[in-house]
């Protein structure tokens, strides 16, 4: 089922499957969110939990036992329940059940809240540990933004504007696992001009990021700003070796597995560890701006 929230500037649609964004439109009907054309990528904006990206052999260990989990965890395919809704906000909630416990041996409540404030969509993740043992997890977003944002422009007309040039790129193998090596990520005037071949080695994942990054074109009238100070890693992606007309702007709390290592969930140092009975929250937002030519 698809649910809707709106204000005078934006209207947003969200599916109960994965609590995934289905649409983000402005008052003129302009669609900002990638609409899932399977030729390039059938997703739109999956929520990632309790693991980010790939596990070596699709497997992790916990207290000496092996567990299997799909890429980006089980949240993208799970059915969430609506626990709160108003005109401008909605909250989706997922609780563990027997099938999820076989995959992830913790009792938890995971909530995703969407809230509109003027031209900004706020997203909040809340994880409650209802288990008697410490739980370990990663959480993140994966929204795809249509590019170009307006007729007459191309993908290459756009750039990512950072307020910092001190970031590092996380080293990934050809199989998209962490290598353990980070690299300088030099920018010109703190900006990254976009080209399709930037993603031929899959995602660009950065650490040491500033609070925000803006996707814009000097030739255009629309921009999208990701604000994600709670997330230590940001990914930028579209399907490799294509001219895909979108860009994913992805706030991540953690990283995938290391190359050829089946991770021990208790020892992967970039995962969040949450003691019994505790609650953990992280928030990110997308701001949609436009100005006349």
């Amino acid at each position: 089922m698809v649910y809707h929230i709106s204000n005078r500037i934006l209207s947003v649609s969200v599916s109960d499957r994965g609590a995934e964004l289905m649409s983000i439109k402005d008052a003129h009907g302009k669609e900002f969110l990638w609409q899932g054309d399977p030729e390039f990528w059938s997703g739109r904006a999956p929520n990632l939990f309790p693991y980010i990206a790939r596990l070596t052999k699709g497997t992790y260990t916990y207290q000496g036992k092996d567990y299997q989990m799909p890429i980006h965890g089980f949240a993208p395919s799970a059915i969430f329940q609506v626990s709160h809704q108003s005109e401008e906000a909605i909250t989706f909630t997922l609780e563990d059940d027997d099938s999820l416990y076989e995959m992830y041996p913790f009792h938890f409540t995971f909530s995703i809240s969407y809230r509109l404030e003027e031209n900004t969509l706020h997203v909040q993740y809340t994880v409650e540990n209802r288990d008697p043992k410490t739980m370990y997890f990663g959480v993140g977003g994966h929204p795809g933004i249509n590019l170009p944002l307006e007729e007459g422009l191309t993908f290459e007309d756009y750039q990512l504007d950072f307020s910092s040039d001190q970031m590092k790129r996380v080293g990934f193998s050809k199989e998209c696992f962490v290598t353990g090596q980070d690299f300088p990520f030099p920018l010109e005037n703190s900006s990254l001009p976009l080209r399709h071949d930037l993603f031929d080695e899959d995602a660009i994942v950065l650490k040491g990021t500033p609070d925000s990054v803006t996707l814009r074109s000097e030739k255009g009238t629309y921009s999208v700003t990701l604000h994600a100070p709670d997330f230590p890693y940001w990914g930028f992606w579209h399907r490799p070796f294509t001219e895909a007309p979108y860009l994913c702007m992805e706030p991540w709390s953690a990283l995938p597995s290391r190359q050829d290592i089946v991770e021990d969930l208790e020892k992967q140092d970039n995962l969040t560890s949450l003691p019994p009975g505790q609650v953990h929250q992280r928030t990110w937002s997308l701001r949609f701006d436009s100005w006349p030519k």
Side-chain angles (χ1 to χ4, degrees):
M1 185 171 179
V2 176
Y3 297 82
H4 307 278
I5 58 174
S6 63
N7 62 10
R8 64 183 182 86
I9 298 174
L10 296 172
S11 61
V12 171
S13 300
V14 192
S15 173
D16 60 356
R17 182 173 294 277
E20 182 174 5
L21 290 163
M22 293 284 103
S23 175
I24 305 172
K25 292 182 179 179
D26 69 9
H28 304 290
K30 171 175 286 295
E31 180 64 75
F32 292 97
L33 191 71
W34 170 246
Q35 291 298 287
D37 182 348
E39 178 182 353
F40 297 105
W41 179 50
S42 60
R44 300 190 189 195
N47 294 294
L48 319 180
F49 176 84
Y51 203 80
I52 306 293
R54 292 168 173 81
L55 286 157
T56 297
K57 299 180 180 179
T59 303
Y60 70 89
T61 67
Y62 175 70
Q63 296 189 351
K65 183 178 178 180
D66 288 350
Y67 294 87
Q68 306 290 315
M69 190 180 294
I71 185 172
H72 294 319
F74 48 72
S77 59
I79 301 299
F80 285 66
Q81 303 300 314
V82 173
S83 54
H84 167 80
Q85 184 173 12
S86 65
E87 184 176 351
E88 297 185 4
I90 189 167
T91 297
F92 294 83
T93 299
L94 176 69
E95 295 188 348
D96 66 279
D97 57 22
D98 290 345
S99 63
L100 295 182
Y101 197 83
E102 289 180 4
M103 193 184 311
Y104 183 66
F106 303 96
H107 298 297
F108 66 88
T109 300
F110 176 43
S111 297
I112 303 171
S113 297
Y114 297 100
R115 178 176 60 87
L116 290 172
E117 181 184 18
E118 296 295 322
N119 60 335
T120 299
L121 173 64
H122 298 278
V123 184
Q124 179 173 279
Y125 298 133
T126 302
V127 181
E128 179 185 358
N129 183 0
R130 297 186 293 102
D131 205 275
K133 54 187 182 290
T134 297
M135 64 183 289
Y136 305 87
F137 62 90
V139 67
H142 199 307
I145 304 299
N146 282 325
L147 278 187
L149 287 168
E150 52 201 291
E151 293 184 6
L153 299 184
T154 68
F155 187 93
E156 291 81 2
D157 287 326
Y158 287 83
Q159 63 193 48
L160 290 167
D161 285 348
F162 301 86
S163 58
S164 170
D165 57 6
Q166 301 301 311
M167 299 173 294
K168 289 188 176 181
R169 182 171 182 173
V170 178
F172 276 73
S173 67
K174 292 182 180 179
E175 296 79 17
C176 301
F177 294 100
V178 173
T179 64
Q181 294 180 305
D182 298 332
F183 302 93
F185 192 69
L187 298 173
E188 183 175 342
N189 298 320
S190 299
S191 293
L192 176 65
L194 293 182
R195 310 186 315 271
H196 288 294
D197 63 4
L198 285 173
F199 308 102
D200 285 352
E201 296 180 357
D202 215 84
I204 295 171
V205 178
L206 303 177
K207 62 187 293 187
T209 52
D211 287 353
S212 300
V213 59
T214 297
L215 174 65
R216 70 176 187 91
S217 169
E218 294 182 353
K219 301 177 182 179
T221 60
Y222 291 89
S223 68
V224 180
T225 298
L226 169 68
H227 183 72
D230 292 347
F231 293 81
Y233 309 100
W234 294 352
F236 300 94
W237 177 85
H238 76 39
R239 179 166 289 175
F241 301 105
T242 69
E243 294 188 359
Y246 65 89
L247 177 71
C248 289
M249 304 171 70
E250 308 175 32
W252 292 1
S253 75
L255 292 172
S257 291
R258 291 168 292 172
Q259 178 71 38
D260 299 325
I261 294 176
V262 174
E263 298 286 359
D264 182 334
L265 212 63
E266 294 180 280
K267 296 179 179 178
Q268 185 174 334
D269 60 7
N270 51 64
L271 294 178
T272 298
S273 59
L274 186 62
Q278 297 297 303
V279 175
H280 179 85
Q281 292 184 326
R282 293 182 190 257
T283 301
W284 57 275
S285 66
L286 291 173
R287 189 183 75 232
F288 303 89
D289 292 303
S290 63
W291 58 92
K293 288 184 178 180

